[in-house]
Every structure is written in C-alpha cells, then in structure tokens.
Amino acid sequence: FDPRHYMSTHCYGFPKTGPHRLRFLLESVKDLRETLKKKGSTLVVRKGKPEDVVRDLINQLSSVSAVAFHEEVREI
C-alpha cells in the first residue's frame, strides 16, 4: 500500500481514498490472501513507497529474475 494514495488530493483537499473504499480494499486483499493460501501460495503485503518496498523485497529474495509493474494514470 502506497501511503501517497491515501493522502489529500492536491486540487480540492479531499481524501483520495475514503473509509468505504479503504475497507473494500482491505477486505479484498484479505480474501485474496486466504484464496492463495488455500492453493498453497501466499501474498506479500507491504506499506510504503513502491520504489522502496520492491527494491527491499528484491534484496531479501535472491531468486528474483524479473519484475513487472504498471504506472498509475496521473491527474492533470
């Protein structure tokens, strides 16, 4: 979870993610983790800037050969 996604917008000062959306996201991640666990896998969840978190995970895991990502569309 990138903390920047939960701060106020720069235009109007409203939160980017309100309490209902945040609850939905947390419940969805919990459900995904439980589904993966039933299939013998897991889900790594971290809080922080992706550029820092992903780098730290790659350093912790010695077998990483590729990383895929997408970039958020920015508001104008």
Side-chain angles (χ1 to χ4, degrees):
F1 290 96
D2 186 343
R4 296 173 289 195
H5 289 207
Y6 306 96
M7 297 165 42
S8 298
T9 60
H10 65 279
C11 295
Y12 304 106
F14 293 108
K16 289 182 180 181
T17 304
H20 300 292
R21 182 174 182 198
L22 181 59
R23 184 178 322 122
F24 173 78
L25 288 171
L26 293 173
E27 289 173 356
S28 298
V29 168
K30 181 181 176 184
D31 184 62
L32 177 58
R33 178 180 269 160
E34 291 171 2
T35 300
L36 289 170
K37 188 181 280 188
K38 289 176 187 174
K39 296 182 180 288
S41 190
T42 189
L43 178 66
V44 176
V45 178
R46 297 287 187 267
K47 176 184 170 191
K49 294 180 179 178
E51 55 270 25
D52 298 330
V53 172
V54 172
R55 182 192 62 236
D56 293 344
L57 283 172
I58 290 170
N59 289 334
Q60 290 174 12
L61 305 169
S62 60
S63 63
V64 176
S65 60
V67 176
F69 66 93
H70 78 278
E71 185 175 352
E72 294 287 330
V73 176
R74 295 189 167 217
E75 297 176 24
I76 298 176

